[in-house]
């Protein structure tokens, strides 16, 4: 019912039902992503574009899709350094569609999350992307947590999270028969989806409207060019040349970067400050063995402890029927290192030499040591899970996948929990917009974030609907 109300008051349908404008087919080598043509940019082919979006994750692809819907006569391209889209944070996450309970009332994060929740369900319904409204319990297991839970409930109501309820022990058992707690918030519209699949759908629709996607294009530099070789809508005497690590290059009028784990390094290429710094934190999951999946029906989350920087272990059902447990949060020694022993000297030195990380580590030294211990000793993580589902035993779980979170930090060791946009210095600053931080839950909020970024791009680059 809340979706029908949202439809009636919000203009959310871009040309989602229209046929595609065209699909570009170039002579360069290609790979296939979700059945669509994707350039593998290893040739000297140099088309011109009005806007290039650097980053083929969910925020970059949502932004590209939004832009091409708004400006169908302009030329757009997405540049991605991996062979496939959504290869990192967008494809290595818990898969939860968040409802917007946790965030400060009136904040941009709260507004975008609640809007993103509605838009996500509308989008998935429109394009037959499978999802489940698995629901969510945020469970208090003691009196201190119960008090914080009451405050969290009031926050959720102020954020207009739909159909929230406070429930007691009996109702907890009705919703989750194997879960125990004093009190809980029940969010029936929290869901699960394959965010990697959603992101690839964004890319497909971008291409259907004539956008180009270049994979295996690792951006190394941005150069301002004064020569003019463009045509069509490119009318400026200057353009930006994007240079790749394999000698590739593309020319465009304007650039938007959505670089995720490398957003700070991309920003520095156009003269931006090195802060906020991206510090990678790896989260290691356990998974319930198949014969024990019946113990968990929906999402079960702890009450956040404001003393600590990360949420804590939780239970997350997946679209494939598996159940993930965790994660912990430890420093990753490689920005895209999903295994315990993945290591990059450059990434490690970059992290440990940053004063912000050292201050964060000192502030939360005991917490950090416990998180590392839980990552190594399975029974320690299971002990935390037993607070909510006492029946779980160490022999019921096995090691699962991991994700790496791009955590933005300032020099004082504070987590940067808001959106950060940057431009850089010099003439390039007029032609580049960097999305340096799109904080969690960026996947849930991606369609709403894309609208905000597109508005900002329109004002900065004076794009016009032709």
């Amino acid at each position: 019912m809340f979706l029908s109300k949202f439809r009636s008051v919000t203009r959310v349908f871009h040309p989602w039902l229209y046929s595609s404008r065209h699909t570009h087919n170039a002579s360069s080598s290609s790979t296939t992503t979700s059945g669509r043509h994707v350039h593998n940019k290893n040739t000297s082919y140099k088309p011109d574009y009005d806007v290039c979006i650097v980053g083929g994750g969910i925020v970059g692809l949502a932004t590209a899709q939004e832009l091409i819907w708004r400006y169908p006569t302009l030329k757009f391209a997405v540049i991605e350094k991996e062979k496939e889209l959504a290869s990192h944070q967008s494809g290595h996450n818990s898969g939860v569609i968040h409802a917007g309970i946790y965030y400060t009332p009136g904040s941009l994060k709260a507004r975008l999350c609640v809007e993103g929740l509605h838009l996500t369900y509308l989008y998935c319904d429109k394009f037959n992307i499978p999802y489940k409204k698995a629901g969510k319990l945020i469970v208090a297991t003691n009196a201190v947590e119960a008090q914080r839970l009451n405050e969290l409930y009031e926050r959720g109501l102020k954020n207009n999270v739909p159909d929230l309820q406070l429930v007691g022990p009996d109702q907890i058992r009705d919703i989750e028969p194997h879960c125990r707690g004093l009190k809980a918030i029940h969010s029936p519209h929290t869901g699960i989806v394959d965010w990697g699949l959603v992101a690839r759908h964004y890319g497909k629709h971008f291409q259907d409207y004539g956008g180009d996607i270049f994979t295996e294009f690792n951006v190394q530099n941005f150069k301002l060019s004064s020569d003019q070789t463009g045509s069509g809508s490119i009318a400026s005497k200057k353009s930006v040349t994007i240079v790749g690590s394999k000698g590739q290059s593309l020319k465009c009028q304007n650039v938007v970067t959505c670089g995720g784990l490398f957003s700070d390094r991309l920003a520095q290429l156009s003269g931006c400050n090195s802060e906020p710094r991206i510090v990678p934190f790896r989260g290691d999951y356990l998974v319930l063995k198949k014969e024990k999946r019946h113990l968990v029906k929906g999402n079960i989350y702890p009450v956040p402890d404001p003393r600590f920087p990360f949420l804590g272990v939780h239970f997350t059902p997946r679209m494939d029927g598996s159940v993930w447990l965790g994660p912990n949060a430890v420093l990753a020694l490689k920005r895209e290192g999903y295994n315990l022993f993945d290591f990059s000297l450059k990434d490690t030195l970059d992290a440990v030499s940053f004063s912000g990380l050292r201050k964060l580590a000192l502030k939360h030294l005991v917490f950090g040591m416990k998180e590392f211990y839980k990552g190594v000793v399975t029974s320690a993580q299971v002990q935390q899970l037993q607070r909510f589902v006492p029946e779980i035993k160490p022999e019921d779980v096995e090691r699962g996948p991991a994700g790496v979170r791009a955590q933005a930090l300032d020099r004082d060791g504070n987590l940067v929990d808001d959106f950060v946009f940057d431009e850089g210095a010099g003439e390039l600053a007029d032609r580049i917009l960097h999305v340096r931080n799109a904080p969690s839950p960026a996947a849930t909020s991606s369609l709403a974030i894309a609208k905000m970024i597109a508005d900002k791009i329109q004002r900065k680059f004076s794009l016009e609907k032709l």
Side-chain angles (χ1 to χ4, degrees):
M1 184 174 182
F2 80 98
L3 283 180
S4 62
K5 291 180 180 178
F6 187 73
R7 284 191 184 100
S8 67
V9 298
T10 310
R11 295 179 61 191
V12 297
F13 285 108
H14 296 273
W16 291 0
L17 300 175
Y18 302 163
S19 60
S20 62
R21 182 160 60 96
H22 70 276
T23 301
H24 186 79
N25 192 357
S27 58
S28 59
S29 61
S30 66
T31 59
T32 301
T33 299
S34 299
R36 305 301 305 161
H37 184 274
V38 177
H39 297 290
N40 182 338
K41 187 63 175 136
N42 293 317
T43 73
S44 59
Y45 177 60
K46 298 180 181 179
D48 290 330
Y49 295 95
D50 293 280
V51 179
C52 282
I53 299 95
V54 178
I58 197 164
V59 173
L61 292 168
T63 299
Q65 176 183 247
E66 177 71 24
L67 287 171
I68 207 163
W69 281 341
R70 291 192 187 192
Y71 309 103
T73 62
L74 301 185
K75 297 173 69 177
F76 297 95
V78 169
I79 295 172
E80 165 57 38
K81 71 181 180 65
E82 302 295 348
K83 186 176 182 179
E84 301 291 338
L85 301 175
S87 293
H88 294 293
Q89 290 185 104
S90 303
H92 292 80
N93 57 67
S94 63
V96 176
I97 305 172
H98 291 281
I101 300 168
Y102 299 103
Y103 316 116
T104 303
S107 67
L108 187 59
K109 279 185 67 172
R111 179 177 65 80
L112 291 175
C113 184
V114 174
E115 182 182 358
L117 170 82
H118 298 308
L119 289 175
T120 295
Y121 285 133
L122 289 173
Y123 190 96
C124 290
D125 286 340
K126 182 61 59 176
F127 297 113
N128 298 313
I129 301 172
Y131 66 86
K132 296 177 183 176
K133 284 194 178 181
K136 176 179 182 177
L137 284 176
I138 303 174
V139 181
T141 60
N142 57 52
V144 173
E145 291 179 350
Q147 179 58 41
R148 291 205 301 265
L149 188 80
N150 291 334
E151 296 168 0
L152 195 62
Y153 175 69
E154 293 300 322
R155 177 175 287 195
L157 293 179
K158 291 178 181 177
N159 287 341
N160 296 314
V161 177
D163 300 330
L164 282 187
Q165 284 185 306
L166 274 177
V167 298
D170 292 339
Q171 290 167 294
I172 290 174
R173 284 192 291 272
D174 289 341
I175 298 166
E176 288 284 351
H178 301 276
C179 181
R180 299 295 179 264
L182 295 179
K183 184 187 288 188
I185 293 172
H186 181 223
S187 171
H189 297 293
T190 297
I192 56 174
V193 74
D194 181 344
W195 284 116
L197 177 63
V198 173
R200 290 187 289 274
H201 269 269
Y202 293 169
K204 175 185 180 297
H205 295 142
F206 173 70
Q207 288 182 301
D208 284 345
Y209 277 81
D212 290 330
I213 296 177
F214 297 90
T215 59
E216 298 184 86
F217 192 131
N218 189 4
V219 174
Q220 298 294 300
N221 202 4
F222 302 109
K223 296 180 179 179
L224 192 66
S225 175
S226 59
D227 60 329
Q228 168 121 17
T229 59
S231 60
S233 58
I234 305 294
S236 174
K237 293 182 179 179
K238 292 186 178 181
S239 61
V240 178
T241 299
I242 305 174
V243 181
S245 60
K246 297 179 180 179
Q248 317 102 307
S249 65
L250 286 178
K251 287 189 177 182
C252 59
Q253 186 95 336
N254 304 292
V255 178
V256 182
T257 71
C258 302
L261 283 156
F262 290 91
S263 60
D264 54 344
R265 293 181 184 172
L266 281 171
Q268 289 178 74
L269 293 178
S270 68
C272 294
N273 191 282
S274 62
E275 297 175 27
R277 186 76 59 85
I278 294 298
V279 176
F281 284 90
R282 191 183 70 255
D284 301 302
Y285 286 90
L286 302 174
V287 295
L288 272 179
K289 291 181 178 178
K290 190 172 183 178
E291 61 270 21
K292 293 294 181 177
R293 290 176 182 175
H294 67 278
L295 295 176
V296 178
K297 294 172 62 179
N299 296 281
I300 304 174
Y301 273 60
V303 179
D305 190 332
R307 296 174 300 169
F308 303 129
F310 298 109
L311 179 61
V313 296
H314 42 276
F315 303 72
T316 306
R318 302 279 296 177
M319 290 300 296
D320 63 2
S322 63
V323 179
W324 288 13
L325 313 169
N328 64 340
V330 296
L331 177 68
L333 301 182
K334 184 179 181 182
R335 290 202 178 194
E336 293 164 350
Y338 301 102
N339 299 308
L340 180 63
F341 298 107
D342 285 347
F343 176 78
S344 162
L345 181 61
K346 178 179 180 180
D347 291 347
T348 302
L349 291 177
D350 191 43
V352 300
S353 65
F354 180 48
S355 62
L357 176 62
R358 296 197 300 272
K359 291 175 182 177
L360 178 71
L362 288 173
K363 191 187 306 182
H364 299 289
L365 181 61
V366 174
F367 173 83
M369 293 173 65
K370 288 181 178 179
E371 290 295 293
F372 180 79
Y373 182 71
K374 285 191 297 184
V376 175
V377 181
T378 299
S379 60
Q381 188 138 318
V382 171
Q383 188 176 14
Q384 294 295 310
L385 296 164
Q386 288 172 334
R387 294 175 57 223
F388 307 98
V389 181
E391 293 176 54
I392 290 182
K393 299 177 177 63
E395 56 266 30
D396 297 334
V397 305
E398 52 194 3
R399 292 197 175 275
V404 179
R405 173 177 177 170
Q407 180 59 59
L409 284 181
D410 66 21
R411 66 180 62 190
D412 296 320
N414 299 311
L415 307 185
V416 179
D417 204 31
D418 204 351
F419 291 87
V420 178
F421 298 93
D422 210 341
E423 299 172 347
E427 290 184 287
L428 273 175
D430 295 331
R431 298 180 178 274
I432 295 184
L433 177 68
H434 298 288
V435 182
R436 295 194 61 162
N437 193 43
S440 178
T444 299
S445 306
S446 57
L447 290 169
I449 291 172
K451 290 166 63 180
M452 179 186 70
I453 294 174
D455 289 343
K456 196 171 186 70
I457 289 169
Q458 193 280 326
R459 292 191 296 270
K460 179 175 173 60
F461 299 146
S462 300
L463 298 184
E464 295 183 1
K465 295 180 181 180
L466 299 178

